Amino acid sequence: MGNSIAIDGPAGAGKSTIAKLVAKELGFIYVDTGAMYRAMALYLIRKGIDRNDSAQIEKACEDADISISYEDGKQVVLLFDENVNDYLRTEEVGNMASISSANPKVREKLVALQQKLAAQKDVVMDGRDIGTVVLPDSKFKIYLTASAHVRAKRRYDELVLKGEKADLSKIEADITERDERDMTREHSPLKQAEDAVVIDSSDMSVEEVKDAILAEAEKRL
Ligand code: DC
């Protein structure tokens, strides 16, 4: 197994932004596991599968061919060899992913892919169960969080910047609902690993969070 940093936390806590910066600084590969769950969700949506039909989800999951490659250091998610990165960040896909990722068959398949990647490379991997399930032996686990309001505001600003319409209270309600689902599901719920360092980024800049992690990484890795 390579060196690893495992970053877990709720949606919108800044995990991917921070993980990318830390990975670049350390020369590690950034692995975005949420994108894998999103690719699976995209596949289910394209197949017209009902999000509450777990038997159909399990059947489709067996057929789904999801893999990861890297282009200029950027993770590319391939669904049957199609680069689907551009389709993963919609609210529709995010909401489906939050539901389908609760399915144990979906998790089993994607966890195996994640563990294979971490066995081959030094990784900064982010998700919900990285420190608890995927890389339980990682020497550096982080639980990155922020208040629901701050996370919603960040997402809102992102959408406005892209020129998209956004409703802050709707985003905050969605985030709270997704947190609830991610934290209370039966299989691999989002929870802090006992040995994780907790960082609440509500009042911290990206730079401050990155520096705190790099300082700690120096001691642990
Ligand atoms: O981090 P994200 O918003 O891209 O994740 C999309 C969904 O996938 C989210 O609802 C939780 C789920 N997920 C998961 O269950 N386990 C992971 N390791 C990563 C994401």
Side-chain angles (χ1 to χ4, degrees):
M1 193 168 118
N3 242 329
S4 65
I5 298 182
I7 307 183
D8 292 303
K15 298 186 297 293
S16 65
T17 306
I18 296 297
K20 270 183 218 156
L21 292 171
V22 170
K24 191 162 179 220
E25 200 79 31
L26 297 174
F28 286 19
I29 299 274
Y30 165 54
V31 183
D32 173 0
T33 64
M36 300 179 192
Y37 287 96
R38 286 172 181 266
M40 182 66 82
L42 177 68
Y43 178 62
L44 300 173
I45 291 170
R46 284 181 175 177
K47 284 193 72 104
I49 287 171
D50 180 339
R51 58 197 214 164
N52 298 311
D53 188 341
S54 46
Q56 284 296 320
I57 291 177
E58 283 174 20
K59 195 158 167 285
C61 159
E62 271 179 35
D63 303 336
D65 178 8
I66 294 172
S67 58
I68 298 296
S69 72
Y70 286 86
E71 277 174 22
D72 301 326
K74 190 170 173 263
Q75 173 178 296
V76 174
V77 186
L78 301 168
L79 179 59
F80 293 97
D81 290 333
E82 174 195 354
N83 175 349
V84 290
N85 276 22
D86 286 348
Y87 307 109
L88 303 180
R89 297 278 136 209
T90 66
E91 293 304 305
E92 184 194 15
V93 170
N95 286 329
M96 177 60 133
S98 169
I99 292 166
S100 53
S101 64
N103 188 298
K105 283 270 187 285
V106 170
R107 304 206 69 81
E108 197 183 307
K109 181 159 181 158
L110 297 181
V111 166
L113 177 60
Q114 292 151 17
Q115 289 176 331
K116 198 167 138 205
L117 278 167
Q120 295 163 343
K121 313 255 190 211
D122 291 339
V123 296
V124 179
M125 189 177 282
D126 75 357
R128 304 294 190 286
D129 59 340
I130 311 305
T132 51
V133 176
V134 182
L135 304 175
D137 297 328
S138 177
K139 284 186 278 181
F140 190 12
K141 301 177 186 176
I142 297 160
Y143 189 82
L144 183 63
T145 189
S147 72
H149 184 70
V150 166
R151 289 184 282 129
K153 181 70 171 55
R154 286 176 187 163
R155 177 77 185 134
Y156 173 85
D157 290 344
E158 231 174 66
L159 289 170
V160 170
L161 203 69
K162 279 200 263 175
E164 288 177 34
K165 261 213 198 137
D167 174 344
L168 183 57
S169 54
K170 162 97 175 53
I171 295 173
E172 188 167 341
D174 273 357
I175 281 190
T176 308
E177 192 185 319
R178 203 177 297 181
D179 284 356
E180 173 72 16
R181 260 202 308 266
D182 291 348
M183 288 174 182
T184 57
R185 69 183 177 209
E186 188 184 350
H187 301 281
S188 308
L190 166 64
K191 69 167 191 263
Q192 195 186 310
E194 271 174 27
D195 48 351
V197 175
V198 181
I199 300 177
D200 184 330
S201 71
S202 301
D203 299 314
M204 289 171 86
S205 68
V206 167
E207 204 66 16
E208 284 171 329
V209 176
K210 183 191 83 172
D211 289 347
I213 292 176
L214 288 173
E216 193 64 29
E218 209 160 288
K219 291 186 230 156
R220 290 174 181 249
L221 300 180

